[in-house]
Amino acid sequence: MNMNGVLSVLPSPADFRTMTRAPRRDLLCGLTVAVVALPLALGFGVTSGLGAASGLITAIVAGTLAALFGGSARQVSGPTGAMTVVLVPIVHEYGANGVLTVGLISGFMLLVLAFARAGAAMAYVPAPVIAGFTIGIACVIGLQQVPSALGVPTPSGDQVAVVAARAAEEFDGTPHWAALLLALGSAALMLAGARWKPTVPFSLAAVAVATVVSEALHLHVTRLGTLPASLPAPSLAFLDVSRVPSLLLPAAAVAALAALESLLSASVADAMRPGERHDPGKELFGQGIANLAAPLFGGVPATGAIARTAVNVRTGATSRLAALAHAVILAGIVAVAAPLVGRIPLAALAGVLLATAVRMVETDAVRAMARSTHGDALVLALTAAGTLALDLVRAVLIGLGVSVLLALRAAMRGTRLTPATTDELPGTSGTVTYRFDGPLLFAAAHRFRRGLADVQDVTAVDLRLSGLTAVDATGALALKDAVGELRDRGIEVRISGVEQGHHRRVLESLGVLPVNPTSNRGAIPSAAGAAAP
């Protein structure tokens, strides 16, 4: 790796100079985002299994470093619902120390992806895969909140649907109506408020109202509990080097999700503010640094957070100062009001996250995508089902795999070999002219070869490839084999229309065309050995 490659992912002085454009506006935006982020950070920390303090630490440490080193001026990072979904089974299998180790390893992996400039691959993820992924995450987040919303201890189990069903059974035996009413009230207030005044942080209002009500009525509901008033000292005490090999696969899943969600969130921010473009390499570098540091303080893996980033953009943030201010303000809230925050009912946070899950799904876009083509609907449904039944990374791989197969099918259908004219020659059966249009790729190679080799009752074939849009080795070899079969039958073959460039180089390298750099027309000798004109 050269020095230029390293420097390309580091923040430049220009990235920091933008922080002086409108500092007052950015600080106000940071305050707004912090108000939105506080209940989400607490809730996702609890849901992950490492506790509310872990979620806050992640929002503060990862939020600060990702803001400083990331590639998006408006991205806000911290604990997210998607990452929580991945972390829950890791907590069950490897414990809290395992999660911290996974976060550390994933940070290194993200740095490798950054230096490899792998962020550009995000542009190739199909929209139905992203939509299905989001729907699946929303369902999982909602199901994860069922035990806290019902006021029962979280039952054992790896499948969120099974855990939610067991929690419902326990609630049916011993109902906890206070917790359920707090959860439903918080969710209703947040959803109604978002429709009425989208820019107002009703999530914090919902949590505050629920806390005041539970305190005033002395409700017997589970609270967050004691929170630290400051960040713990950084430590590697959690790291057990002997367990690292067994944690590489979970870490790869966490790194893949962190990269996917962060780049998606940055793309959303770009779309909301036309003219602004994030740097994928720098964004992965910032997320890598953030995930290296967060575990040292006891934080969970972090990603770019779409909801908080959207709030940041909508309130008018102009630079990374707003995201940085959000993290600093969260640290100040913890330092000043830790005892008060500790009195928040878990059911209220569950209600906020239930509402968050509902708002994650853009129903109009999903409906339009589901109606567009049967293939898009299938990819969307499979990705969503895979997210719910398997895990996020495998679900995305399933969605990508099906999308590739559908794309190949479409490419194959777009390939046409059509007869153009037949010229009768004295004493012969004549010459047939074929025009090829579309891509000559492996998916269509067999059909192309069969169509060309089935030519009957002619002495010559003129194959015009001016409509060729793409070619790979399999397609070129299929063409070569078809031409060889025709030659063996004594049929002369002429190929024309292949311009200089990539297509010609492929055909020349595999012996389909003679190597002739100065010509834009290739020819294959006839069976008699004569050169085609």
Side-chain angles (χ1 to χ4, degrees), residues 267-281:
S267 299
V268 169
D270 291 344
M272 293 176 68
R273 187 67 61 87
E276 297 285 344
R277 301 297 301 171
H278 72 281
D279 185 311

Side-chain angles (χ1 to χ4, degrees), residues 86 90 93-94 102 106 109 245-255:
V86 173
I90 298 176
E93 187 168 354
Y94 301 103
V102 162
S106 70
M109 291 180 173
S246 64
L247 294 172
L248 289 177
L249 191 58
V254 167

Side-chain angles (χ1 to χ4, degrees), residues 161-451:
V162 174
V163 171
R166 289 174 180 169
E169 289 177 4
E170 187 168 341
F171 176 83
D172 187 52
T174 55
H176 299 272
W177 295 108
L180 179 59
L181 291 174
L182 285 176
L184 293 178
S186 299
L189 177 58
M190 185 173 167
L191 291 173
R195 292 176 68 88
W196 176 50
K197 291 278 189 182
T199 58
V200 175
F202 279 95
S203 57
L204 186 64
V207 169
V209 170
T211 304
V212 170
V213 169
S214 62
E215 289 291 320
L217 299 180
H218 304 289
L219 298 179
H220 296 289
V221 290
T222 306
R223 319 270 179 167
L224 278 178
T226 304
L227 292 176
S230 62
L231 290 177
S235 170
L236 276 172
F238 62 87
L239 181 62
D240 183 353
V241 178
S242 65
R243 300 182 69 190
V244 168
S246 64
L247 294 172
L248 289 177
L249 191 58
V254 167
L257 175 60
L260 177 68
E261 190 172 15
S262 298
L263 295 175
L264 173 61
S265 177
S267 299
V268 169
D270 291 344
M272 293 176 68
R273 187 67 61 87
E276 297 285 344
R277 301 297 301 171
H278 72 281
D279 185 311
K282 289 183 179 180
E283 185 58 34
L284 291 180
F285 179 80
Q287 296 297 332
I289 294 294
N291 281 287
L292 276 176
L296 303 181
F297 296 88
V300 297
T303 77
I306 296 177
R308 277 152 276 177
T309 298
V311 171
N312 197 35
V313 177
R314 286 193 190 112
T315 51
T318 64
S319 74
R320 60 189 69 223
L321 177 61
L324 181 62
H326 126 274
V328 174
I329 292 168
L330 281 178
I333 292 173
V334 171
V336 173
L340 180 60
V341 173
R343 298 299 298 168
I344 295 174
L346 287 181
L349 291 179
V352 168
L353 295 185
L354 283 169
T356 300
V358 172
R359 296 184 65 198
M360 282 177 67
V361 181
E362 297 182 10
T363 53
D364 291 340
V366 170
R367 279 198 207 100
M369 216 171 293
R371 284 186 225 154
S372 60
T373 68
H374 294 304
D376 287 340
L378 177 64
V379 170
L380 189 151
L382 286 176
T383 307
T387 302
L388 190 58
L390 301 171
D391 61 62
L392 299 180
V393 175
R394 279 191 285 179
V396 170
L397 291 177
I398 290 171
L400 288 174
V402 175
S403 297
V404 169
L405 291 176
L406 291 173
L408 290 175
R409 183 185 176 199
M412 187 171 66
R413 288 181 171 178
T415 299
R416 296 185 303 277
L417 182 67
T418 54
T421 61
T422 301
D423 301 322
E424 294 297 335
L425 299 178
T428 71
S429 299
T431 299
V432 64
T433 300
Y434 278 96
R435 175 181 173 83
F436 181 86
D437 294 288
L440 182 53
L441 304 175
F442 69 93
H446 174 70
R447 190 175 69 163
F448 168 79
R449 177 182 172 180
R450 186 180 59 198

